[in-house]
Amino acid sequence: MKRIVKYYGKFTQFEEFITNIFLVAITALVFLSAVARTVHHPLNWAVDVSLLLFAWEVFLGGDIAVRNTKLIGVEIIADKLPPVLQKTLSLLFFCMIIGFCLLLTFFGIKLSLENTKRLFQVLPISYSWCTLCVPVGCFFMVISSCIKIHEILVLPLTSWAGNKERSV
């Protein structure tokens, strides 16, 4: 079990590193594309690469948000609820996330398979590389949500009321 936790920790570090690189690359490509258009030498490929990286950024960033419980919440209302209800709501929300992400994973795989012959406008690569971010990112979110559910179930109720890192 310790080995799995170690590898998962390395994976999460790599995922965060990749999303940071993607964000910097998207920013640089959009800026360079705008400058190149201004001097009448457009970089047509930059838009396609930016869109590809942005799609992956969204779904990998979603996994990071689920893992770090940086989700949208209504804490002003949730903090007024008893700890048992707060814990129950967190479990319910993570179960809903898992259900939704499993649906997106299933249909994302179908979408990726359907887009194998479709190409980007300028890049000579399949559009499946873009749509593949949906099932991959959602699968990672399912794993992160399962880990969060395990943490919620293991965390004693007495410490639940004072824990500000919870997911409600």
Side-chain angles (χ1 to χ4, degrees):
M1 187 62 157
K2 288 182 183 180
R3 186 177 274 170
I4 293 172
V5 171
K6 177 184 167 188
Y7 288 131
Y8 185 71
K10 289 185 186 245
F11 167 76
T12 59
Q13 289 176 341
F14 177 72
E15 184 182 40
E16 290 176 9
F17 175 75
I18 289 295
T19 55
N20 289 337
I21 294 295
F22 284 0
L23 185 60
V24 169
I26 292 166
T27 305
L29 286 171
V30 169
F31 177 75
L32 288 174
S33 180
V35 170
R37 261 193 323 272
T38 303
V39 295
H40 304 292
H41 293 295
L43 302 174
N44 296 330
W45 58 269
V47 174
D48 283 348
V49 173
S50 296
L51 289 172
L52 174 66
L53 294 178
F54 181 72
W56 280 94
E57 179 78 18
V58 166
F59 283 94
L60 294 178
D63 177 44
I64 293 169
V66 169
R67 185 178 334 109
N68 295 328
T69 60
K70 302 294 184 198
L71 304 170
I72 296 174
V74 188
E75 289 185 1
I76 196 164
I77 296 171
D79 286 345
K80 306 281 188 231
L81 300 173
V84 174
L85 193 53
Q86 291 178 10
K87 198 170 186 175
T88 304
L89 281 174
S90 288
L91 287 171
L92 175 69
F93 292 152
F94 277 113
C95 286
M96 288 172 33
I97 289 170
I98 289 171
F100 182 68
C101 285
L102 286 174
L103 279 171
L104 283 178
T105 301
F106 175 74
F107 288 111
I109 290 170
K110 288 179 69 173
L111 180 66
S112 293
L113 293 173
E114 291 172 2
N115 282 310
T116 54
K117 295 185 183 191
R118 178 180 173 195
L119 298 176
F120 278 91
Q121 291 179 5
V122 177
L123 297 178
I125 62 172
S126 172
Y127 202 73
S128 284
W129 287 105
C130 185
T131 56
L132 194 61
C133 70
V134 176
V136 170
C138 287
F139 180 73
F140 292 160
M141 285 185 239
V142 167
I143 293 171
S144 296
S145 296
C146 288
I147 291 170
K148 285 299 174 184
I149 286 175
H150 174 73
E151 290 173 359
I152 291 168
L153 293 174
V154 169
L155 188 66
L157 192 58
T158 55
S159 66
W160 186 260
N163 186 4
K164 288 296 178 192
E165 287 297 315
R166 64 183 179 271
S167 59
V168 175

